[in-house]
Every structure is written in structure tokens, then in C-alpha cells.
Amino acid sequence: ELKVEQNPLFLSMQEGKNYTIYCNYSTTSDRLYWYRQDPGKSLESLFVLLSNGAVKQEGRLMASLDTKARLSTLHITAAVHDLSATYFCAVDRGDNTDKLIFGTGTRLQVFP
Amino acid sequence: EADIYQTPRYLVIGTGKKITLECSQTMGHDKMYWYQQDPGMELHLIHYSYGVNSTEKGDLSSESTVSRIRTEHFPLTLESARPSHTSQYLCASSENPSWEQYFGPGTRLTVT
């Protein structure tokens, strides 16, 4: 069964702290995506990771991909309240269908 | 910036009614997708299309149907709405298989 698991599911962190969200997957894909969703809103693309060892950074967020371990991480540096949202990773199924499997999501809350 | 639109944004309708959720994109993308998302949960693919006159069922069984007569338009229809159809429906499109899917704002459907 193709699965994408994120942990933690919920994360409450203080402003200024660092933390990492993990995304484990079981497909053989080399393509992984991170999205952000604010409450009641749609999904916003954050990162596209297309190969083993890929690392991308935008502001306080950095994403990496290890295809051998089938693991991606989303690292948060010096969190601020505006980062509060739900973060999803999604993985290509690896069967040339261009369909994605989404993770369970990590709900992040940053408090002062 | 992606241009993908969904209407209506919110819909409250009684059981047994027929409804059509509209999705349009102006980017000329061949691939389009419909996802269903319950509050706080992951996204499940219910329909996808690789191009005009191409539609297939997704991973999650759905009583809805779709059509793709024009590249830019991918409507979803429920012939007889039921309370179990209450959910958020997200439309997405993509061009190249290596690029991310762009999401519309979503339709929040409530069936009473």
C-alpha cells in the first residue's frame, strides 16, 4: 500500500524556536512537494523537490529530500506566528500517472 | 501566479439536489484534478484528467462524475447530493509532470 506519513501531526511551538517536520513515504518516486494550507483556505505550493539530496530554502523554511531513505524534512528556523498553518507533503506515485499521494498534514501553531 | 478558479466557493444544498461544481484554469494546463478534503484531514484524489475527453476515477471512490470538453474547464457533478457528500472540494491543474499542482480556492459543500 502506498503511504505518506507525516510527524508530528500537531506541533505547538514558541516563537523563535526551531523544529523539523518529517515526511516518510513508501513510493519509489523521486518527486516530493510541500504545501501550506491556512484554515479554510486552499493549498499553496512551498517547495518542489525533484532529486535525491535536493535542498530548497525560502525564508524561515528549508526542505530536503533523501530518496534512499524515502524521507523529506521541513525545517523551521526561528518560528514566527505567521507560519501557523497546516503543512502537507505530497509524493508522486512513481507509476507515471502524475498522481500525488498526500500526507496526513502537520498542524503547526506558533505562539508568542 | 496560477490562475485557477472554482465556483461556488460555498454551497449549502438539500438532500437529493443535483449540483455542479465549476473549475476553470487559464494556464492551458492539460492535467486537471479533483480532490476531496474533510476538515483537518488529508486530500484524497477523486477524479483526474490528462486532457480533453480524458477522465479517470481517482483513489477515493466517489459518486460524482466529471467531464472535460474544453482544456480550461473541468466541472464536477453530483446527481443527487447526500449529507455524506459534505466536504471541501479542491480543483488543481498541472502542466509538466515535474512541476507542482496549482490549486483553486476550493468549494465548501454542505448537504443538509
Side-chain angles (χ1 to χ4, degrees):
Chain A
E1 181 187 354
L2 301 176
K3 291 172 74 171
V4 181
E5 295 179 333
Q6 288 180 236
N7 71 83
L9 297 182
F10 299 97
L11 177 55
S12 182
M13 59 189 298
Q14 195 172 18
E15 281 188 331
K17 298 293 187 184
N18 304 332
Y19 207 83
T20 299
I21 299 170
Y22 297 88
C23 174
N24 292 90
Y25 58 95
S26 63
T27 74
T28 57
S29 172
D30 289 340
R31 302 205 300 255
L32 188 138
Y33 308 83
W34 283 97
Y35 288 90
R36 168 183 172 144
Q37 186 177 37
D38 291 302
K41 304 289 187 182
S42 188
L43 273 73
E44 173 192 354
S45 177
L46 293 174
F47 299 109
V48 179
L49 303 169
L50 300 177
S51 60
N52 187 42
V55 177
K56 291 200 174 175
Q57 182 165 4
E58 180 73 33
R60 300 174 188 274
L61 300 178
M62 184 173 71
S64 66
L65 177 62
D66 182 344
T67 59
K68 292 190 171 75
R70 297 185 184 173
L71 170 69
S72 179
T73 61
L74 181 65
H75 186 72
I76 303 157
T77 301
V80 294
H81 179 72
D82 285 350
L83 291 179
S84 298
T86 298
Y87 293 85
F88 290 95
C89 64
V91 182
D92 183 85
R93 290 171 61 99
D95 58 1
N96 297 318
T97 62
D98 298 330
K99 293 189 287 184
L100 299 181
I101 302 173
F102 279 80
T104 47
T106 296
R107 186 175 298 176
L108 171 65
Q109 183 177 14
V110 181
F111 59 92
Chain B
E1 184 177 330
D3 294 319
I4 181 163
Y5 309 97
Q6 290 185 245
T7 58
R9 295 289 311 279
Y10 303 92
L11 180 61
V12 180
I13 200 163
T15 297
K17 299 291 186 184
K18 177 180 178 179
I19 58 171
T20 296
L21 308 184
E22 301 288 347
C23 175
S24 296
Q25 49 96 2
T26 58
M27 299 168 284
H29 289 174
D30 286 327
K31 301 177 181 63
M32 296 189 75
Y33 313 82
W34 275 105
Y35 292 90
Q36 185 174 341
Q37 183 187 30
D38 292 326
M41 305 297 286
E42 67 262 49
L43 281 72
H44 294 285
L45 181 68
I46 52 175
H47 297 283
Y48 65 102
S49 168
Y50 287 149
V52 171
N53 294 325
S54 155
T55 62
E56 295 191 30
K57 294 278 190 183
D59 300 319
L60 182 68
S61 176
S62 174
E63 294 165 345
S64 58
T65 59
V66 293
S67 63
R68 189 90 182 274
I69 300 172
R70 302 198 315 264
T71 296
E72 62 271 23
H73 195 213
F74 191 38
L76 180 146
T77 298
L78 274 167
E79 290 292 334
S80 179
R82 295 210 298 265
S84 61
H85 296 139
T86 295
S87 189
Q88 175 163 249
Y89 293 84
L90 292 163
C91 180
S93 72
S94 67
E95 182 180 21
N96 184 296
S98 295
W99 292 95
E100 69 267 44
Q101 294 179 13
Y102 295 97
F103 283 82
T107 294
R108 191 171 297 276
L109 172 66
T110 302
V111 183
T112 60

